[in-house]
Amino acid sequence: SGGGGAGGAGGISKRGTGGAGGAGGAGYGANVVGGAGGAGGAGYAGGNGGAGGAGHAGTSANGGVGGAGGAGSTGSMAFVLYCAGTMNLASMTINAQGGVGGNGGAAGSSGNVNGGAGGAGGDGADIIMLSLGALSGSYTITNNGGAGGTGGAKTGSGTVGATGASGSDGAQIIAQVINT
């Protein structure tokens, strides 16, 4: 028997949050492992990865691996502000964080079986803002990497699935360019 079906990848979004990855299918049949979760799509904010499918109930089947979270906007987001006077950034909000990794699937309920590993979190985007004029006002930028997914539950003396790695935080460079 084959494993459970893998979840589909989330769609890419050019202006919003990437689509979430689909969940992996549960294993069906003796010792069939759960399917892997689909990866989240990239976007200004990355989509969340899909959960791994559970191993077939009543058998010694491993849980599926969670899908990876999608990345925030790929590469650096460069905002070059050519302003001779003060640039007021009050109430500006930028959300370019990475998606959360999918959770690993649970092990089958019989035997000593491992849970599926959690998916990795997506990376946050770099934010670069340069202005000729002064920058003022409070603003909010969220460009941290997504958290890794939780590992799936074990059965018996198996092992709990590994937690997925967290995504990398994006850099923030917000400064006034001073001509000398």
Side-chain angles (χ1 to χ4, degrees):
S1 296
I12 296 172
S13 173
K14 293 184 178 179
R15 291 185 169 81
T17 300
Y28 186 77
N31 300 325
V32 176
V33 301
Y44 275 173
N48 295 340
H56 183 61
T59 68
S60 54
N62 292 338
V65 176
S73 295
T74 53
S76 297
M77 294 178 62
F79 296 94
V80 181
L81 308 177
Y82 291 100
C83 176
T86 299
M87 174 65 75
N88 188 352
L89 302 179
S91 301
M92 182 191 73
T93 300
I94 296 176
N95 180 13
Q97 62 189 6
V100 175
N103 293 332
S109 57
S110 176
N112 301 314
V113 198
N114 303 330
D123 293 337
D126 294 337
I127 304 296
I128 302 172
M129 299 177 62
L130 304 174
S131 175
L132 296 178
L135 299 170
S136 70
S138 60
Y139 51 87
T140 300
I141 293 177
T142 306
N143 64 334
N144 53 296
T150 302
K154 67 175 184 175
T155 300
S157 59
T159 58
V160 175
T163 300
S166 296
S168 299
D169 292 342
Q172 289 187 25
I173 302 173
I174 302 173
Q176 179 184 9
V177 178
I178 306 297
N179 292 323
T180 57

